[in-house]
Amino acid sequence: MKALILAGGFGTRLRPLSCTRPKLMFPVLNRELLDWTLERLSKSGVDRVILAVNHMADALERSFRYSRYGIEIVYSRESRPLGTGGPIKNAEGFLIEGGEPFFVLNGDVFSDVDYGKIVKFHEDRGAKATIALYEVEDPGRFGVVELSKEGRIMRFVEKPKPGEAPSRLVNAGVYVLDPSVLDIIPHGRKVSTERKVFPALAREGSLCGYRFDGLWIDIGLPEDYFLVNKMMLRSLAADEPLVGKNVKVHETAKVVAPSAVGDGSTVAEDAEVGPYAVVGRGVEVGKGSRIDGSIVFQGVIVESFASIRGAIVGEDSIVGRWAKIEEGCIVGDHALIGDNVTLTRNVEICPFREVRSSILEPGKVM
Ligand code: GDD
Ligand code: MG
């Protein structure tokens, strides 16, 4: 079976980290989000993936090339963003081949939904489109449905206003579509699947909803991105830290579970990593430093006696001696946080910035 993955989008709410990487390349326990998705798809028998790309397409193509986990990867490019529906039409040539239903996935979703079960459900109902549905506390940020007992979607409302959500069941961004759905998507235009296509299919009675529980997070916001890493640490590294290849941990240093340390990293004497730390590949954690509740991307150098708590530090950044990065801070890639600098809560530093003096008010440093 084929799957189209929506991989465009700007990830505005994940700035400054999304300034330098597409959302699908955000690391979750040191593997790109897309890598997790491809692995799961391959396990359910998907053999061809169409990545619908525009913004930062090259980064994706350089990293993922043309196959992974036995899946063939092709790139469907847009010269300008076509929304969530336009890219499906744009890839029509790939999708109609064989005349079978195909998957469409929002690429920024991390989930362990059983793809095989959705297909089965779709076939049993004879639907034109089937959407995976997940129950959340606060549905306002999502597409929300009214579902009948038989699993038909009676109404689909994208991002309802407060008090107007028909339920707490939301569109999980995983669909099975019949090729006939392509007929109702206009060509060469920006189209919203959620505002145009799904409401039309719901009116016609050919949209079904498959409910699932388990793991599901849209990583669109920093807190959700944190949460995904936390949940995966709990599920894969609860008792024992997940330590990559060629990692050197000094005998006086501690790595406390749940935590993960990527390949080739070093943790120097008296340093403490964890709990809830994800340290990327090739990171140097200096003497006496502390990292907890944080995500440190690959190639970061943390000098001695620095502390990083509840923060994200982007790729190849340098955190100086005695620097202190507090909760909610996000440091962009290739930034430099000088010696003795404190970043108070919720400070954001843009990529490539050098910060030489403390920032004691929350805010962005461009
Ligand atoms: N190729 C391409 N072109 N992809 C795009 C474009 C575009 O112009 N715009 C967005 N995307 C991709 C994003 O990268 C993301 O993977 C997916 O389409 C959904 O876009 P978001 O911008 O993340 O939408 P959202 O999170 O606000 O809402 C969507 O996802 C929710 C679940 O996560 C909707 O589908 C909601 O109905 C849904 O509940
Ligand atoms: Mg999203």
Side-chain angles (χ1 to χ4, degrees):
M1 214 172 142
K2 291 184 281 270
L4 177 129
I5 304 183
L6 292 164
F10 291 92
T12 337
R13 296 163 296 179
L14 283 172
R15 280 184 193 148
L17 295 163
S18 56
C19 300
T20 39
R21 71 173 56 64
K23 274 201 277 196
L24 281 75
M25 287 183 67
F26 271 63
V28 174
L29 250 56
N30 295 329
R31 286 166 55 191
E32 297 104 336
L33 174 61
L34 178 59
D35 186 79
W36 290 92
T37 308
L38 292 175
E39 187 188 31
R40 290 192 172 119
L41 285 172
S42 103
K43 286 182 178 156
S44 37
V46 167
D47 53 10
R48 192 174 208 200
V49 158
I50 298 112
L51 282 185
V53 292
N54 52 72
H55 172 65
M56 295 195 206
D58 295 350
L60 278 160
E61 192 164 344
R62 250 184 281 121
S63 168
F64 285 87
R65 315 292 303 171
Y66 307 105
S67 90
R68 194 167 284 193
Y69 302 115
I71 299 178
E72 180 199 1
I73 303 173
V74 296
Y75 295 81
S76 172
R77 291 169 185 276
E78 297 153 48
S79 40
R80 59 199 162 84
L82 294 175
T84 51
I88 308 176
K89 189 71 176 177
N90 196 40
E92 185 165 22
F94 292 120
L95 296 171
I96 55 171
E97 230 177 77
E100 285 162 1
F102 50 84
F103 291 108
V104 172
L105 269 55
N106 284 353
D108 63 342
V109 160
F110 189 93
S111 164
D112 63 0
V113 57
D114 186 328
Y115 297 112
K117 283 191 182 158
I118 313 176
V119 178
K120 173 92 178 36
F121 185 94
H122 177 82
E123 286 167 350
D124 291 350
R125 295 292 185 296
K128 267 194 194 169
T130 300
I131 305 181
L133 301 173
Y134 191 81
E135 192 169 308
V136 298
E137 279 306 310
D138 175 19
R141 286 165 47 202
F142 303 108
V144 191
V145 305
E146 182 186 325
L147 189 70
S148 80
K149 281 200 193 65
E150 300 72 40
R152 299 255 158 213
I153 292 176
M154 315 307 287
R155 221 150 41 100
F156 186 103
V157 194
E158 181 66 8
K159 314 223 161 69
K161 294 196 190 79
E164 289 180 13
S167 74
R168 290 196 290 132
L169 274 182
V170 306
N171 168 20
V174 177
Y175 322 131
V176 176
L177 305 184
D178 268 15
S180 64
V181 173
L182 288 160
D183 301 341
I184 59 170
I185 308 177
H187 184 78
R189 273 207 270 142
K190 189 167 184 172
V191 181
S192 161
T193 304
E194 298 82 351
R195 293 181 197 277
K196 289 278 178 264
V197 182
F198 290 158
L201 291 170
R203 277 194 297 274
E204 158 191 305
S206 53
L207 186 64
C208 284
Y210 167 81
R211 281 182 77 145
F212 73 102
D213 337 284
L215 192 59
W216 181 81
I217 301 180
D218 170 318
I219 68 149
L221 299 173
E223 48 269 40
D224 296 324
Y225 175 58
F226 260 120
L227 190 63
V228 125
N229 279 278
K230 229 177 191 171
M231 287 171 61
M232 290 314 286
L233 280 175
R234 266 193 226 121
S235 93
L236 299 177
D239 305 319
E240 185 93 14
L242 202 67
V243 177
K245 288 181 223 119
N246 303 320
V247 171
K248 289 194 194 98
V249 179
H250 190 275
E251 58 184 16
T252 59
K254 271 195 245 163
V255 179
V256 183
S259 281
V261 182
D263 297 348
S265 292
T266 55
V267 184
E269 57 193 292
D270 299 325
E272 199 169 323
V273 171
Y276 292 107
V278 181
V279 170
R281 280 184 293 272
V283 170
E284 291 175 27
V285 182
K287 178 177 169 181
S289 284
R290 288 207 47 131
I291 301 174
D292 62 54
S294 298
I295 306 171
V296 174
F297 286 17
Q298 63 181 5
V300 168
I301 297 175
V302 182
E303 293 182 350
S304 341
F305 306 107
S307 125
I308 303 172
R309 320 195 75 157
I312 308 179
V313 179
E315 197 168 315
D316 293 333
S317 290
I318 298 176
V319 178
R321 288 168 63 87
W322 295 100
K324 206 169 156 201
I325 301 182
E326 295 184 347
E327 214 171 302
C329 288
I330 306 182
V331 176
D333 294 343
H334 311 282
L336 181 124
I337 309 302
D339 293 351
N340 303 306
V341 165
T342 293
L343 302 183
T344 192
R345 282 165 163 255
N346 303 325
V347 171
E348 291 177 13
I349 308 293
C350 274
F352 300 99
R353 281 292 311 211
E354 293 188 10
V355 181
R356 301 284 181 187
S357 47
S358 294
I359 301 177
L360 302 171
E361 293 287 330
K364 289 187 176 53
V365 176
M366 303 301 276

